[in-house]
Amino acid sequence: MARTATDLTLQWNPIDCRAFGLCAEELPEGIVLDEWGYPLLAAGPIPVRLLRRARAAAAACPVLALKLVARSRSAS
Amino acid sequence: MDAQVLWYVSRATGVVSLVLLTAVMVLGMATSGRAGSPAAATSGVAPAPAAPSRFGPSRFGLSRAGVHRLHREMSLVALVFLVVHIASALVDGYVGLNLLDVFVPFGADYSPLWIGFGAVAVDLLLAVGVSSLLRSRIPRPVWRGIHLTAYAMWPLAVLHTAFTAGGDMASLWMQLVVAANVVAVVAAALRWRRRDQHPDALARRAGDLRHLAGNVR
Ligand code: HEM
Ligand code: SF4
């Protein structure tokens, strides 16, 4: 069976995040903004089909508050 | 081959570089801060109500993320044109510049002042570009400090374009191009001064000021 999930996940740093909201535009399937513009991330590993978009979301963050990390390295 | 081809290439790619840099500046200013963020208040006003739409309004027919991407990608295209502009001027040899003149200002035999401005602009542009490529390894305030030197780089590039002897500034079309570039950046800068700010950013700044005032007392 084809692998559908990567072992990567998005790690969000709420201290650095300045609510630019660009990440949610790059990856609307996995990130919604709360009423103040801060992102709420979907839990779990990034599906293979969304990997490129997740990379773009991390690259779009002007303050690098969003990182793509291996699941084992992320807290929780 | 016509011996003047390289000289024409250099002039043409020089103009294209300026136009692209102008576009990069305008796009950068358009994404700066929380411009268009659904949760942003406009300069100093009370917090906006909860986001009515999921994403902010688009600019230039693009999403904010699209503007931001274009900013990053177009800067690379501008660099390519700039490399051709400089390389063809050097190889052409007509004005007798050497590699040092590209990076070290005011030493050129030809039009030293204005070529020098070009050299400073090149140095700043390299700093902005390289620091951006290494962005994930550089502390954010350092990156941003370097990035803001773009505001010094661009006027220098304009002066270099307009006043380097032997350019095309004598012709009307060139004057119009340069004028249009200046108008675009000035308009974007005026718009930038009134950019949207997140209520939290305003609160943070007010907090910093209070903190500073406390230290002074
Ligand atoms: C070398 C050509 C470049 C020039 C001339 C340039 C210029 C600018 C300018 C004028 C701004 C607005 C700054 C402000 O007032 O807040 C800006 C913002 C920005 N640029 Fe660039 N830029 C360049 C390349 C890049 C690259 C390669 C990246 C890739 C990471 C990048 C990422 C950003 C980001 C994230 C912002 C928003 C900063 C913020 O709002 O804090 N830029 N740029
Ligand atoms: S792009 Fe970065 S700063 Fe903006 S909301 Fe997403 S994580 Fe926060």
Side-chain angles (χ1 to χ4, degrees), chain A residues 15-29 31-38 52-53 56-64 67, chain B residues 31-35 37-39 47-51 54-57 63-66 68-69 72 135-138 140 143 198-201 204:
Chain A
I15 308 287
D16 286 342
C17 177
R18 292 291 151 96
F20 283 88
L22 295 176
C23 52
E25 289 186 10
E26 294 283 14
L27 185 67
E29 297 89 339
I31 306 178
V32 294
L33 299 178
D34 70 11
E35 60 182 312
W36 296 107
Y38 290 94
R52 274 172 60 94
R53 314 274 301 278
C61 178
V63 290
L64 300 171
K67 290 204 169 74
Chain B
T31 49
S32 169
R34 261 115 306 211
S37 160
R54 204 143 71 100
F55 303 133
S63 66
R64 287 190 305 134
H68 192 238
R69 253 181 203 227
R72 288 178 284 161
R135 192 166 65 110
S136 57
R137 323 243 176 96
I138 298 178
R140 154 95 183 163
W143 172 80
H198 193 280
D200 287 355
R204 215 176 280 119

Side-chain angles (χ1 to χ4, degrees), chain B residues 28 32-33 68 71-72 75 132 135 140 143-144 147 151 192:
Chain B
S32 169
H68 192 238
H71 170 71
R72 288 178 284 161
S75 71
S132 291
R135 192 166 65 110
R140 154 95 183 163
W143 172 80
R144 189 160 160 82
H147 214 73
Y151 287 107
W192 174 88

